[in-house]
Amino acid sequence: AKEVGAWKLTDPVPAAAESGELDALVAELGRLRADTWVAERGKDLKDFGLEKPEVKWTLSDGDKTVLVLLVGR
């Protein structure tokens, strides 16, 4: 979460975060574009090895979830 210009981790524990690195990450994520669609929403994540992702990032704008990124093996 970005509060008063500073990034903070909210999960699994509240902590300070590297603001410069997260600003760069968010800028890069904003430039992501899909080359191809693998599946529409509602597809079983198990088919892609994501039923238990290694990492789950949720990007929000206030109370609105903007992007959920699941990273598998």
Side-chain angles (χ1 to χ4, degrees), residues 2 5 9 20 24 37 43 51 53 61-62 71 73:
K2 193 168 190 179
L9 298 174
W37 287 108
K43 186 77 173 161
E51 72 277 10
D61 183 3
V71 179
R73 292 185 177 202

Side-chain angles (χ1 to χ4, degrees), residues 2 13 17 19 24-25 34 40 50 53-54 58 63 71 73:
K2 193 168 190 179
V13 294
S19 290
L25 174 64
E40 294 296 324
L50 294 172
E54 293 291 315
T58 303
D63 292 336
V71 179
R73 292 185 177 202

Side-chain angles (χ1 to χ4, degrees), residues 8-61:
K8 299 187 187 305
L9 298 174
T10 58
D11 193 31
V13 294
E18 295 290 331
S19 290
E21 291 179 18
L22 284 171
D23 283 336
L25 174 64
V26 169
E28 288 297 318
L29 288 173
R31 288 191 277 277
L32 285 177
R33 298 293 178 260
D35 288 334
T36 59
W37 287 108
V38 175
E40 294 296 324
R41 287 181 184 224
K43 186 77 173 161
D44 189 357
L45 294 177
K46 186 168 44 174
D47 294 342
F48 306 102
L50 294 172
E51 72 277 10
K52 293 182 181 176
E54 293 291 315
V55 176
K56 177 181 178 182
W57 287 329
T58 303
L59 302 178
S60 304
D61 183 3

